[in-house]
Amino acid sequence: MKTIYHKADSRGHANHGWLNSYHTFSFANYQNPERVHFGVLRVLNDDSVSKGMGFGTHPHRDMEIISIPLSGDLEHKDSMGTTAVIRKGEIQVMSAGTGVQHSEYNKNKDEEVKFLQIWVFPREAGVEPRYDQKSIVESAKINDFQQILSPNKEDDGVWIHQDAWFNLANFEKGHAKDYELNKNGNGVYAFVLKGSAKIGDQILNERDGLGIWDTQSFNVEALEDTEILLMEVPMELPDYLKK
């Protein structure tokens, strides 16, 4: 098993006043040639948006864009005609494909919104743009892995145009469980939302990240009550990005 450890305070950081953002991978003015992506996982931003503020309308294409609110309410509008609000306990996905424009705003005037913004390269370029969001709170599990994203429309959670599986792990202190990868050639990027855990010989604290590959499984042990996001993705970039 190979791993790469990213300590929370090693992330890129940008504070724009209305937006406080931490970048695990190169993004905007944070450019680190050693941290451009993990397989097809291109962006993992940990964002806090001030009350009533947000991202104005801007374009995307050929990217699977996933938002996971951690607190507060995030309003989404896009050029497909979608207007929606996502909250903690929900997950949103937008396939940008051939091109889409969208905006994201803090719906609340009295509190900030915190959310993860995640970008994944799709397996092919030029798909039809689409939007979806689902509640994941009803299927939440304690001391188990809860699937919140996959390549399959029929599975739990949302789906994307990539052989990727996302799981939330809410573990009580002392609980341990093996994670079995879904596909050969995939790796997992583990990101601790709260608490602390041990994977292999590596101890991870809040907002630490660990990339894991060249293995079929690994053990996750909670050192205290812990919430971890596991993002399993292909490690090889799709052919259209190699041209």
Side-chain angles (χ1 to χ4, degrees):
M1 182 172 82
K2 296 179 181 176
T3 62
I4 185 166
Y5 173 54
H6 295 149
K7 193 171 174 59
D9 62 10
S10 72
R11 297 177 295 171
H13 181 222
N15 191 338
H16 302 285
W18 66 272
L19 169 67
N20 191 23
S21 184
Y22 289 87
H23 313 309
T24 294
F25 305 107
S26 294
F27 188 86
N29 292 330
Y30 170 63
Q31 296 296 316
N32 184 340
E34 295 182 356
R35 287 169 64 164
V36 177
H37 59 91
F38 177 79
V40 301
L41 177 61
R42 175 60 189 86
V43 168
L44 174 55
N45 287 351
D46 185 2
D47 289 347
S48 299
V49 179
S50 297
K51 46 194 175 185
M53 303 299 288
F55 303 87
T57 301
H58 56 282
H60 290 285
R61 65 179 300 124
D62 293 329
M63 194 70 71
E64 303 292 297
I65 299 171
I66 300 109
S67 297
I68 303 176
L70 304 177
S71 67
D73 303 331
L74 186 69
E75 183 177 58
H76 166 99
K77 293 183 180 180
D78 63 44
S79 55
M80 295 177 284
T82 308
T83 299
V85 177
I86 55 170
R87 301 173 172 87
K88 180 175 172 59
E90 296 181 315
I91 183 172
Q92 174 208 69
V93 63
M94 185 177 72
S95 299
T98 53
V100 68
Q101 297 193 40
H102 78 139
S103 63
E104 294 169 300
Y105 280 89
N106 184 344
K107 181 70 171 176
N108 300 313
K109 306 298 182 184
D110 57 351
E111 65 173 320
E112 66 180 4
V113 61
K114 298 182 178 182
F115 72 105
L116 298 182
Q117 180 183 170
I118 303 165
W119 296 5
V120 174
F121 290 121
R123 69 172 71 89
E124 59 184 325
V127 303
E128 181 180 354
R130 56 177 286 271
Y131 175 90
D132 193 18
Q133 75 181 74
K134 285 190 177 180
S135 171
I136 53 177
V137 69
E138 292 91 349
S139 57
K141 301 177 181 179
I142 298 296
N143 295 330
D144 201 357
F145 300 114
Q146 177 195 4
Q147 182 178 287
I148 60 172
L149 177 148
S150 81
N152 307 309
K153 299 178 185 179
E154 299 80 14
D155 281 1
D156 292 338
V158 295
W159 66 275
I160 64 171
H161 296 278
Q162 187 52 271
D163 294 326
W165 288 261
F166 287 12
N167 279 266
L168 280 173
N170 283 282
F171 284 3
E172 294 173 321
K173 180 180 179 180
H175 186 78
K177 189 176 177 69
D178 287 343
Y179 178 84
E180 302 282 343
L181 274 74
N182 292 274
K183 186 175 180 180
N184 289 337
N186 279 6
V188 175
Y189 195 86
F191 186 68
V192 179
L193 299 176
K194 64 179 181 181
S196 60
K198 186 177 182 182
I199 298 178
D201 296 326
Q202 183 65 59
I203 293 176
L204 304 173
N205 295 306
E206 186 171 312
R207 294 317 201 256
D208 285 354
L210 184 71
I212 306 152
W213 70 103
D214 280 1
T215 186
Q216 293 299 312
S217 66
F218 56 87
N219 187 260
V220 180
E221 178 187 358
L223 303 180
E224 56 185 302
D225 290 352
T226 299
E227 184 175 10
I228 308 175
L229 176 62
L230 302 177
M231 293 164 279
E232 179 184 338
V233 295
M235 294 304 291
E236 186 174 350
L237 293 177
D239 289 341
Y240 69 88
L241 291 174
K242 300 175 184 177
K243 296 177 181 178

